[in-house]
Amino acid sequence: MTKEDFIEKFPDVKVQQFETAVVFSYREVQETVDAACTSLGMGLIYVERQGRKITCFTSSKMKAALDKMVKGAKLTDPNTNEEGTVTSDKPFLMGGEYCVNVDFPSDSGAYSCEYFIE
């Protein structure tokens, strides 16, 4: 992925690259990225890794949206216009991006946070 993949939806997208001393497990990458984003106040759009290299795509716009996606928050599905309720305490990393559990009248499950951002 490149910055251009996100620039339309996130004009303020930034790229951070990290290199670790050893190859991290998937869980270690998640924990490291989550801690870095939290401590630096970054809103993670997507993370990818290759060996010891970790690339994070972040945005202030995403950070503002993530801060609102907490348990009890209402989100609208952009495809169906159904309103759902966030059931996870906060966004969590899954498959390289932050996700939340949402209950809609017709369905429930884990959704990418980026899905709800216009």
Side-chain angles (χ1 to χ4, degrees):
M1 301 220 111
T2 67
K3 187 175 180 176
E4 287 70 33
D5 294 322
F6 303 103
I7 200 98
E8 185 176 326
K9 194 175 223 180
F10 301 98
D12 65 335
V13 66
K14 293 175 183 55
V15 180
Q16 284 82 31
Q17 295 182 320
F18 307 97
E19 189 165 345
T20 58
V22 297
V23 176
F24 279 3
S25 69
Y26 181 75
R27 183 170 185 90
E28 289 172 315
V29 170
Q30 284 186 313
E31 290 170 353
T32 300
V33 168
D34 195 36
C37 287
T38 300
S39 68
L40 298 173
M42 299 183 299
L44 181 74
I45 302 168
Y46 188 75
V47 63
E48 60 186 11
R49 72 168 182 162
Q50 285 186 314
R52 298 180 312 144
K53 294 181 182 181
I54 302 169
T55 304
C56 298
F57 299 90
T58 62
S59 162
S60 296
K61 179 180 177 181
M62 185 63 155
K63 171 71 172 142
L66 290 171
D67 288 346
K68 295 176 186 172
M69 293 184 190
V70 294
K71 192 170 193 166
K74 302 290 184 191
L75 297 174
T76 302
D77 185 318
N79 291 328
T80 64
N81 288 324
E82 276 189 310
E83 186 176 271
T85 305
V86 175
T87 58
S88 49
D89 291 329
K90 63 178 186 169
F92 53 90
L93 274 171
M94 182 172 79
E97 58 190 327
Y98 277 117
C99 297
V100 286
N101 291 321
V102 183
D103 278 342
F104 288 104
S106 63
D107 197 14
S108 64
Y111 291 81
S112 166
C113 293
E114 187 265 337
Y115 176 69
F116 298 104
I117 298 173
E118 297 176 14

